[in-house]
PDB file of all heavy atoms in Angstrom:
ATOM      1  N   GLY H  60      -4.882   8.640   7.248  1.00 96.00           N
ATOM      2  CA  GLY H  60      -5.341   9.760   6.453  1.00 96.00           C
ATOM      3  C   GLY H  60      -4.415  10.083   5.288  1.00 96.00           C
ATOM      4  O   GLY H  60      -4.679  10.989   4.509  1.00 96.00           O
ATOM      5  N   SER H  61      -3.331   9.312   5.162  1.00 96.00           N
ATOM      6  CA  SER H  61      -2.383   9.563   4.074  1.00 96.00           C
ATOM      7  C   SER H  61      -2.883   8.953   2.768  1.00 96.00           C
ATOM      8  O   SER H  61      -3.751   8.084   2.748  1.00 96.00           O
ATOM      9  CB  SER H  61      -1.004   9.011   4.429  1.00 96.00           C
ATOM     10  OG  SER H  61      -1.071   7.610   4.585  1.00 96.00           O
ATOM     11  N   ASN H  62      -2.300   9.426   1.681  1.00 97.00           N
ATOM     12  CA  ASN H  62      -2.655   8.944   0.352  1.00 97.00           C
ATOM     13  C   ASN H  62      -1.956   7.618   0.067  1.00 97.00           C
ATOM     14  O   ASN H  62      -0.758   7.484   0.290  1.00 97.00           O
ATOM     15  CB  ASN H  62      -2.250   9.985  -0.686  1.00 97.00           C
ATOM     16  CG  ASN H  62      -2.594   9.548  -2.083  1.00 97.00           C
ATOM     17  OD1 ASN H  62      -3.739   9.275  -2.395  1.00 97.00           O
ATOM     18  ND2 ASN H  62      -1.592   9.480  -2.940  1.00 97.00           N
ATOM     19  N   ILE H  63      -2.708   6.645  -0.415  1.00 97.00           N
ATOM     20  CA  ILE H  63      -2.152   5.380  -0.898  1.00 97.00           C
ATOM     21  C   ILE H  63      -2.371   5.361  -2.407  1.00 97.00           C
ATOM     22  O   ILE H  63      -3.510   5.259  -2.865  1.00 97.00           O
ATOM     23  CB  ILE H  63      -2.844   4.154  -0.248  1.00 97.00           C
ATOM     24  CG1 ILE H  63      -2.702   4.176   1.263  1.00 97.00           C
ATOM     25  CG2 ILE H  63      -2.285   2.856  -0.844  1.00 97.00           C
ATOM     26  CD1 ILE H  63      -3.543   3.111   1.983  1.00 97.00           C
ATOM     27  N   PRO H  64      -1.284   5.479  -3.189  1.00 97.00           N
ATOM     28  CA  PRO H  64      -1.458   5.390  -4.641  1.00 97.00           C
ATOM     29  C   PRO H  64      -1.945   3.991  -5.039  1.00 97.00           C
ATOM     30  O   PRO H  64      -1.424   2.990  -4.548  1.00 97.00           O
ATOM     31  CB  PRO H  64      -0.051   5.645  -5.195  1.00 97.00           C
ATOM     32  CG  PRO H  64       0.699   6.295  -4.083  1.00 97.00           C
ATOM     33  CD  PRO H  64       0.093   5.752  -2.821  1.00 97.00           C
ATOM     34  N   VAL H  65      -2.945   3.945  -5.884  1.00 98.00           N
ATOM     35  CA  VAL H  65      -3.471   2.687  -6.404  1.00 98.00           C
ATOM     36  C   VAL H  65      -3.318   2.714  -7.915  1.00 98.00           C
ATOM     37  O   VAL H  65      -3.846   3.621  -8.570  1.00 98.00           O
ATOM     38  CB  VAL H  65      -4.961   2.478  -6.019  1.00 98.00           C
ATOM     39  CG1 VAL H  65      -5.505   1.208  -6.629  1.00 98.00           C
ATOM     40  CG2 VAL H  65      -5.132   2.477  -4.503  1.00 98.00           C
ATOM     41  N   TRP H  66      -2.578   1.737  -8.446  1.00 97.00           N
ATOM     42  CA  TRP H  66      -2.358   1.647  -9.887  1.00 97.00           C
ATOM     43  C   TRP H  66      -3.023   0.396 -10.417  1.00 97.00           C
ATOM     44  O   TRP H  66      -2.736  -0.711  -9.964  1.00 97.00           O
ATOM     45  CB  TRP H  66      -0.870   1.577 -10.210  1.00 97.00           C
ATOM     46  CG  TRP H  66      -0.070   2.807  -9.922  1.00 97.00           C
ATOM     47  CD1 TRP H  66      -0.445   3.915  -9.213  1.00 97.00           C
ATOM     48  CD2 TRP H  66       1.274   3.037 -10.339  1.00 97.00           C
ATOM     49  NE1 TRP H  66       0.576   4.818  -9.169  1.00 97.00           N
ATOM     50  CE2 TRP H  66       1.655   4.301  -9.855  1.00 97.00           C
ATOM     51  CE3 TRP H  66       2.192   2.291 -11.066  1.00 97.00           C
ATOM     52  CZ2 TRP H  66       2.907   4.846 -10.080  1.00 97.00           C
ATOM     53  CZ3 TRP H  66       3.450   2.835 -11.290  1.00 97.00           C
ATOM     54  CH2 TRP H  66       3.798   4.105 -10.808  1.00 97.00           C
ATOM     55  N   LEU H  67      -3.916   0.565 -11.379  1.00 97.00           N
ATOM     56  CA  LEU H  67      -4.523  -0.549 -12.104  1.00 97.00           C
ATOM     57  C   LEU H  67      -3.868  -0.556 -13.479  1.00 97.00           C
ATOM     58  O   LEU H  67      -4.122   0.327 -14.307  1.00 97.00           O
ATOM     59  CB  LEU H  67      -6.036  -0.376 -12.188  1.00 97.00           C
ATOM     60  CG  LEU H  67      -6.758  -0.262 -10.844  1.00 97.00           C
ATOM     61  CD1 LEU H  67      -8.257  -0.057 -11.050  1.00 97.00           C
ATOM     62  CD2 LEU H  67      -6.495  -1.472  -9.967  1.00 97.00           C
ATOM     63  N   ILE H  68      -3.019  -1.537 -13.708  1.00 97.00           N
ATOM     64  CA  ILE H  68      -2.128  -1.564 -14.865  1.00 97.00           C
ATOM     65  C   ILE H  68      -2.656  -2.569 -15.882  1.00 97.00           C
ATOM     66  O   ILE H  68      -2.848  -3.748 -15.571  1.00 97.00           O
ATOM     67  CB  ILE H  68      -0.704  -1.956 -14.413  1.00 97.00           C
ATOM     68  CG1 ILE H  68      -0.224  -0.994 -13.320  1.00 97.00           C
ATOM     69  CG2 ILE H  68       0.248  -2.012 -15.592  1.00 97.00           C
ATOM     70  CD1 ILE H  68       0.823  -1.589 -12.396  1.00 97.00           C
ATOM     71  N   SER H  69      -2.881  -2.095 -17.102  1.00 97.00           N
ATOM     72  CA  SER H  69      -3.428  -2.961 -18.144  1.00 97.00           C
ATOM     73  C   SER H  69      -3.197  -2.310 -19.502  1.00 97.00           C
ATOM     74  O   SER H  69      -2.650  -1.212 -19.588  1.00 97.00           O
ATOM     75  CB  SER H  69      -4.938  -3.163 -17.928  1.00 97.00           C
ATOM     76  OG  SER H  69      -5.638  -1.941 -18.078  1.00 97.00           O
ATOM     77  N   SER H  70      -3.655  -2.988 -20.536  1.00 95.00           N
ATOM     78  CA  SER H  70      -3.683  -2.336 -21.838  1.00 95.00           C
ATOM     79  C   SER H  70      -4.743  -1.241 -21.774  1.00 95.00           C
ATOM     80  O   SER H  70      -5.661  -1.296 -20.950  1.00 95.00           O
ATOM     81  CB  SER H  70      -4.031  -3.343 -22.942  1.00 95.00           C
ATOM     82  OG  SER H  70      -5.352  -3.820 -22.746  1.00 95.00           O
ATOM     83  N   ALA H  71      -4.615  -0.238 -22.615  1.00 94.00           N
ATOM     84  CA  ALA H  71      -5.565   0.878 -22.607  1.00 94.00           C
ATOM     85  C   ALA H  71      -7.004   0.394 -22.794  1.00 94.00           C
ATOM     86  O   ALA H  71      -7.930   0.921 -22.186  1.00 94.00           O
ATOM     87  CB  ALA H  71      -5.190   1.895 -23.679  1.00 94.00           C
ATOM     88  N   SER H  72      -7.193  -0.657 -23.590  1.00 94.00           N
ATOM     89  CA  SER H  72      -8.548  -1.147 -23.858  1.00 94.00           C
ATOM     90  C   SER H  72      -9.176  -1.856 -22.648  1.00 94.00           C
ATOM     91  O   SER H  72     -10.386  -2.038 -22.611  1.00 94.00           O
ATOM     92  CB  SER H  72      -8.545  -2.087 -25.067  1.00 94.00           C
ATOM     93  OG  SER H  72      -7.741  -3.225 -24.808  1.00 94.00           O
TER      94      SER H  72
END
Side-chain angles (χ1 to χ4, degrees):
S61 63
N62 180 58
I63 301 171
V65 177
W66 292 11
L67 302 179
I68 304 154
S69 65
S70 65
S72 62

